[in-house]
Amino acid sequence: QRELFDFIPASVCLLEPDGTIVHVNRSWHAFFAANGGDCANALVGSNYLAVCDKTRGLEADGARQVAAAIRAGAAGVADPASVIYPCSIPGKSLWFDARITALPGPVPRRVLVSHFDVTRLYNAESQLALLQKAVAAASDAIVIADAGDPAYPLVFANEAFLTMTGYSRTEALGGDFRFMLGEDDAHSTLRSALAAGTPCRVRLSKFRKSGEHFWNELSISPIVDSGGCVSHFLGVAADV
């Protein structure tokens, strides 16, 4: 049955209740061989919990959580657990999802620890969170409209847009965006660009919800999906 571990893409180790590694799979060996790991502390016979307990610095909190989950699993007092933790190796900063599962049987139990490399996902989520914060904090109004609906409903509007127009988020999102389109030449140019799925930049005469008149310079850019079709429009507007 242990040979089946070699078909698991994650790096897997089987631990005795005290943390001693009794088996590792092929992916585990390959990871340490490829990254210059300290095999003496990572392979059969070494103690996984001892490595966790000695970890210091930025990785210490993750190591502590993993160790606690292993001990709880071995004692039969916890369900399977998942811990996202950083792992620094020479020249790389990685993130792993450690999934800890106690094997059936009398207490104390053996524990299986599977390590999934989630570096790309973690970095993508971090970049997305940073982008969301930047857009939310931008001084210019930023909106995203659904190009697949002839009403061009807004699916996103930042705080600056709400401040500029006076509309609440509930009023702005999901409704008919065409209520903001006038009939002058600039609005005609904007309508044509929306219909054609092309970028444009116009200066528009607008009214806030309160009825106050203002001018804004709006730039729109099409957002293309994986199939090459325009799925949304990004709009950036400045009160001029």
Side-chain angles (χ1 to χ4, degrees), residues 160-167 179-180 205-216 239-240:
F161 174 84
L162 305 181
T163 301
M164 178 185 291
T165 64
Y167 290 97
F179 81 94
M180 296 193 70
S205 174
K206 309 300 298 181
F207 290 91
R208 308 186 206 279
K209 182 181 178 181
S210 64
E212 177 188 1
H213 176 263
F214 72 104
W215 288 89
N216 78 81
D239 189 338
V240 294

Side-chain angles (χ1 to χ4, degrees), residues 28-224:
W28 178 285
H29 279 283
F31 174 80
F32 278 90
N35 295 284
D38 184 357
C39 294
N41 286 331
L43 300 181
V44 175
S46 61
N47 192 287
Y48 192 106
L49 289 173
V51 174
C52 290
D53 293 341
K54 292 178 181 177
T55 300
R56 298 291 183 268
L58 296 177
E59 301 174 10
D61 184 61
R64 178 187 57 77
Q65 293 181 54
V66 171
I70 292 172
R71 289 185 169 109
V77 296
D79 294 326
S82 174
V83 178
I84 306 294
Y85 69 95
C87 176
S88 297
I89 59 178
K92 296 181 183 179
S93 293
L94 305 176
W95 286 84
F96 284 91
D97 179 1
R99 300 180 188 178
I100 299 98
T101 306
L103 300 186
V107 176
R109 298 172 178 170
R110 284 184 167 186
V111 177
L112 191 70
V113 185
S114 303
H115 307 76
F116 294 85
D117 188 341
V118 294
T119 305
R120 290 185 179 180
L121 177 61
Y122 181 86
N123 289 340
E125 290 179 344
S126 297
Q127 291 173 357
L128 178 59
L130 178 60
L131 176 61
Q132 290 173 331
K133 290 179 181 179
V135 169
S139 58
D140 286 343
I142 298 176
V143 296
I144 298 176
D146 184 354
D149 188 323
Y152 303 111
L154 297 185
V155 297
F156 173 82
N158 71 344
E159 195 65 34
F161 174 84
L162 305 181
T163 301
M164 178 185 291
T165 64
Y167 290 97
S168 69
R169 195 174 304 280
T170 300
E171 293 170 320
L173 299 185
D176 191 333
F177 180 64
R178 292 173 298 184
F179 81 94
M180 296 193 70
L181 300 180
E183 300 299 332
D184 57 21
D185 290 344
H187 284 91
S188 295
T189 299
L190 177 57
R191 288 176 186 275
S192 296
L194 290 171
T198 56
C200 86
R201 186 184 187 94
V202 290
R203 179 168 293 193
L204 304 174
S205 174
K206 309 300 298 181
F207 290 91
R208 308 186 206 279
K209 182 181 178 181
S210 64
E212 177 188 1
H213 176 263
F214 72 104
W215 288 89
N216 78 81
E217 190 165 271
L218 172 67
S219 297
I220 66 165
S221 301
I223 300 174
V224 179

Side-chain angles (χ1 to χ4, degrees), residues 4-12 25-28 30-31 96 114-117:
L4 295 177
F5 288 173
D6 286 338
F7 292 95
I8 302 175
S11 298
V12 178
N25 71 344
R26 185 178 299 162
S27 294
W28 178 285
F31 174 80
F96 284 91
S114 303
H115 307 76
F116 294 85
D117 188 341

